[in-house]
Amino acid sequence: MNAIALLEVQALVAAIAGLDAMVKAADVKLIHVEKRLGGRLVTVVVRGEVSAVTAALQAGAAAAAEVGNVKVCEVIANPHPDVMRFLTTG
């Protein structure tokens, strides 16, 4: 099953640390980055199998929490195609 994981953190450095941990922890691919407030609030979105995005999100949230403030983390299994169109960059 396909899924996405969203990790929203306060501070760009925390987002980078979280994303690094996510892609190293499991077979996931970055599909979207959203920066708000000049990079003070950053959301990264990865996709992959449900188990992979869940493991990646846990690792990413833990790594991001060490250097910043984690606001939201969420896994969405089998997202609707309209959600994917909204998130996919490139």
Side-chain angles (χ1 to χ4, degrees):
M1 178 182 284
N2 205 14
I4 59 174
L6 299 95
L7 175 65
E8 185 170 81
V9 298
Q10 192 172 358
L12 183 60
V13 172
I16 293 169
L19 177 59
D20 183 59
M22 291 173 85
V23 296
K24 288 178 178 175
D27 184 22
V28 295
K29 180 180 177 181
L30 175 67
I31 62 167
H32 187 75
V33 176
E34 183 78 26
K35 292 183 277 184
R36 300 271 183 190
L37 304 172
R40 291 180 303 212
L41 190 61
V42 182
T43 305
V44 294
V45 183
V46 297
R47 73 174 176 192
E49 295 296 317
V50 173
S51 59
V53 298
T54 301
L57 187 57
Q58 290 172 349
E66 289 181 14
V67 294
N69 189 6
V70 176
K71 294 294 189 182
V72 178
C73 46
E74 186 69 39
V75 172
I76 300 174
N78 197 25
H80 190 276
D82 288 344
V83 172
M84 295 307 296
R85 252 193 348 251
F86 176 77
L87 292 172
T88 305
T89 57

